[in-house]
Amino acid sequence: MKEKILQLLRETDGFLSGQEISRRFGVSRTSIWKAIRQLEEAGYEIEAVRNRGYRLCMEPDLLTAERVEEYLDTEWAGHPLQVFDTADSTNTEVKRQAESGAAQGLLVAAEEQTAGRGRRGRTWESPKGSGIFMSLLLKPDIEPGHASMLTLVMGMAVRSALEDLGVPGVQIKWPNDIICSGKKVCGILTEMSAQMDYINYIVIGVGINVHNRDFPEAVAQMATSVYQQTGERICRAELIANCMRQFEKYYAVFLKTQDLSVLADEYQAHLVNRDRQVRVMDMKREYIGVARGINAGGELLVETADGMVCVSAGEVSVRGVYGYI
């Protein structure tokens, strides 16, 4: 009953009388009051005025499969869709299902993660109700060596999706971070199961800081959220659907050439590292140069005193010489 009343309140501009709700659904005023109370307990803000009725003032940003599906208009990305209240890690959950034969397009999202992971084994803080934690399953017919480029493809998709929803100044920090005002708003983690010349599956995990009002002191200088950038609470379900829509578009372009030759110019137009001094740190050495963009293989081109170096994503960290970017 409460879902029917909620939908009616959504469709009504202004107040809706208890008498009208009673007439529509053939229920008592007491049943209506109980349903309204249940909605309020779930986080909905409903104004009740004597002799006028009820008015929906604000909806909580609930993350449910039904809510995401209201916005999801993709052909395959996000189908099937699963949304959990709690998951250890959405990447881990998708890998479990991939091992059991899940099909390409599976998208798993969670309100919170208890063991969220970032790149190079770092912990990804995933408090309930604050962000988007989701992972997409892919089974592309490409060479395993090309898989790392999909991190960049997803980066383009997330950047575009955020911009479409009004987030200003969204940029990309190679290879896997999305940046706003010099701070990280999103991280991407790509994992693969493959044989020598064949990909079993790829999982791309995306973590977006959405509603966070503040961050722990340890990361406050480098982390931001959509809310901090806009002062508004955007709909997470809509952002998820928009990410899938954008990814489908960029992924189709990528598959035609199986590299970034067509996408490189657009990627570089939003590359925050470009023409900046960067420090490249891998397992063997550390050096400084100027980032000049990417090549068709998704490698970062770094101009050093000894010439141009092509930096591959993987066990490499790229930071600005004087800060995060």
Side-chain angles (χ1 to χ4, degrees):
M1 177 55 60
K2 70 175 187 282
E3 287 79 13
K4 293 181 179 179
I5 292 175
L6 175 60
Q7 189 57 40
L8 195 56
L9 289 170
R10 284 173 176 159
E11 295 169 354
T12 302
D13 185 16
F15 285 90
L16 183 67
S17 71
Q19 182 179 356
E20 177 61 18
I21 299 173
S22 179
R23 185 189 69 80
R24 291 280 190 103
F25 301 125
V27 296
S28 68
R29 296 289 187 91
T30 300
S31 296
I32 295 169
W33 180 83
K34 287 180 179 179
I36 293 294
R37 288 293 298 160
Q38 289 173 349
L39 289 170
E40 288 176 333
E41 288 170 1
Y44 292 88
E45 185 178 315
I46 299 171
E47 184 180 6
V49 177
R50 189 178 179 84
N51 297 325
R52 297 187 69 185
Y54 304 99
R55 180 170 69 93
L56 181 61
C57 301
M58 187 188 75
E59 296 190 45
D61 185 32
L62 301 177
L63 193 58
T64 64
E66 292 76 18
R67 194 83 169 110
V68 176
E69 285 168 352
E70 289 180 24
Y71 298 97
L72 196 60
D73 58 358
T74 53
E75 291 183 9
W76 60 268
H79 305 290
L81 168 68
Q82 298 174 9
V83 179
F84 294 93
D85 186 58
T86 301
D88 50 359
S89 156
T90 57
N91 263 34
T92 300
E93 177 61 32
V94 170
K95 287 193 288 185
R96 280 194 289 258
Q97 296 195 39
E99 294 291 345
S100 298
Q104 170 166 290
L106 168 67
L107 178 68
V108 169
E111 270 283 13
E112 67 174 343
Q113 296 181 119
T114 58
R117 294 177 291 111
R119 192 163 167 263
R120 304 182 77 184
R122 298 185 182 96
T123 298
W124 183 269
E125 296 296 332
S126 314
K128 189 168 187 176
S130 65
I132 289 171
F133 318 113
M134 63 179 178
S135 299
L136 178 67
L137 176 61
L138 301 175
K139 295 186 176 181
D141 184 16
I142 63 174
E143 294 180 15
H146 293 177
S148 63
M149 285 184 269
L150 292 173
T151 299
L152 280 66
V153 175
M154 182 60 83
M156 295 181 71
V158 174
R159 194 214 67 80
S160 253
L162 286 167
E163 185 177 73
D164 285 352
L165 291 181
V167 182
V170 191
Q171 295 177 284
I172 300 169
K173 177 179 175 290
W174 185 94
N176 68 316
D177 292 348
I178 306 302
I179 305 298
C180 291
S181 301
K183 294 185 176 183
K184 180 175 178 175
V185 73
C186 168
I188 299 167
L189 176 64
T190 300
E191 298 182 286
M192 175 175 65
S193 169
Q195 301 171 35
M196 287 293 293
D197 59 352
Y198 178 78
I199 292 175
N200 298 319
Y201 60 82
I202 294 171
V203 179
I204 306 182
V206 177
I208 307 175
N209 301 324
V210 181
H211 297 317
N212 311 67
R213 292 176 178 269
D214 49 42
F215 292 90
E217 186 177 347
V219 298
Q221 294 303 309
M222 67 172 62
T224 189
S225 68
V226 173
Y227 179 80
Q228 286 185 340
Q229 293 298 309
T230 65
E232 299 178 0
R233 288 176 59 86
I234 68 168
C235 175
R236 288 179 295 162
E238 184 177 5
L239 179 53
I240 287 173
N242 206 5
C243 287
M244 292 300 99
R245 184 183 311 116
Q246 296 292 342
F247 182 79
E248 238 184 36
K249 177 183 74 174
Y250 288 118
Y251 185 64
V253 175
F254 166 80
L255 285 181
K256 289 179 180 178
T257 57
Q258 298 193 17
D259 62 22
L260 298 178
S261 55
V262 179
L263 298 172
D265 286 347
E266 181 179 346
Y267 186 92
Q268 292 177 147
H270 303 290
L271 184 60
V272 72
N273 315 73
R274 193 175 189 185
D275 297 328
R276 289 177 178 262
Q277 253 197 330
V278 295
R279 177 181 288 106
V280 182
M281 296 163 280
D282 63 24
M283 297 178 68
K284 296 180 180 179
R285 62 175 181 142
E286 178 179 318
Y287 56 92
I288 290 174
V290 178
R292 295 303 187 191
I294 63 167
N295 60 20
E299 296 172 313
L300 185 67
L301 303 176
V302 179
E303 186 177 350
T304 72
D306 298 323
M308 195 71 72
V309 178
C310 298
V311 182
S312 299
E315 292 305 309
V316 176
S317 180
V318 175
R319 291 288 180 95
V321 174
Y322 300 108
Y324 172 60
I325 61 171

